[in-house]
């Protein structure tokens, strides 16, 4: 039997193509109860768009976690996946943007805490009190 996508010869009882990983449809798997038909038909190779639409388009938990912990990898996943996995690409992009905004915000907050605590060299609890007084005023 041949793979309908890459036309590589694969074993007759295959569920997936060993070359491209495509799932072989059940109707193309031969069934021993039927007699073989000897009609020639030209194999039609699916267009790439059809192949991509048949794949599952959901970002896995690992991709989302990596996009959050390393936003630049999330941006790279977006660029790689935007053509054939648009939902996954969008999820990784949004996660990377949220992570980047949170890291900038936390950097600003820590900078303010450092600036306030370096003025008088107080203890940790005094620094929090200074920040609260600074926010109130």
């Amino acid at each position: 039997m041949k793979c309908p996508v890459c036309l590589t010869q694969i074993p007759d009882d295959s569920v997936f193509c060993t070359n491209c990983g495509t799932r072989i449809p059940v109707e193309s798997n031969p069934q021993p109860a039927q007699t073989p038909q000897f009609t020639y038909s030209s194999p039609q190779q699916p267009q790439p768009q059809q192949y991509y639409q048949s794949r599952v388009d959901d970002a896995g938990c690992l991709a989302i976690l990596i996009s959050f912990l390393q936003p630049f990898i999330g941006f790279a996943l977006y660029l790689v996946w935007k053509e054939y996995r648009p939902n996954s690409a969008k999820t990784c992009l949004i996660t990377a943007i949220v992570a980047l905004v949170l890291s900038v915000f936390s950097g600003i907050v820590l900078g303010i805490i450092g600036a306030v605590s370096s003025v008088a060299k107080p203890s940790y609890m005094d620094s929090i009190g200074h920040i609260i007084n600074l926010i109130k005023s």
Side-chain angles (χ1 to χ4, degrees):
M1 164 171 57
K2 287 190 176 188
C3 172
V5 175
C6 67
L7 301 176
T8 302
Q9 188 67 29
I10 56 175
D12 291 338
D13 59 343
S14 294
V15 178
F16 294 95
C17 176
T18 55
N19 184 41
C20 67
T22 302
R23 183 176 179 86
I24 306 300
V26 176
E27 59 270 2
S28 70
N29 288 340
Q31 298 177 0
Q34 296 177 346
T35 58
Q37 297 177 357
F38 297 105
T39 57
Y40 177 76
S41 63
S42 153
Q44 294 180 356
Q45 187 163 349
Q47 298 297 322
Q49 191 69 12
Q50 294 172 343
Y51 173 70
Y52 293 140
Q53 288 176 351
S54 67
R55 300 196 111 190
V56 176
D57 185 16
D58 61 339
C61 294
L62 183 61
I64 294 171
L65 179 67
I66 290 172
S67 297
F68 186 77
L69 296 177
Q70 296 292 325
F72 294 109
I73 294 176
F75 291 127
L77 286 174
Y78 168 74
L79 293 174
V80 171
W81 285 348
K82 69 180 177 180
E83 293 296 322
Y84 67 98
R85 291 179 75 178
N87 293 337
S88 299
K90 186 177 178 181
T91 302
C92 288
L93 178 66
I94 291 170
T95 305
I97 290 172
V98 167
L100 199 61
V101 167
L102 285 175
S103 65
V104 168
F105 178 74
S106 63
I108 291 171
V109 168
L110 290 175
I112 291 171
I113 290 173
V116 169
S117 65
S118 68
V119 171
K121 300 283 185 203
S123 70
Y124 177 73
M125 293 305 289
D126 291 338
S127 297
I128 294 175
H130 286 297
I131 292 172
I132 291 172
N133 289 336
L134 196 85
I135 292 173
K136 287 180 181 178
S137 62

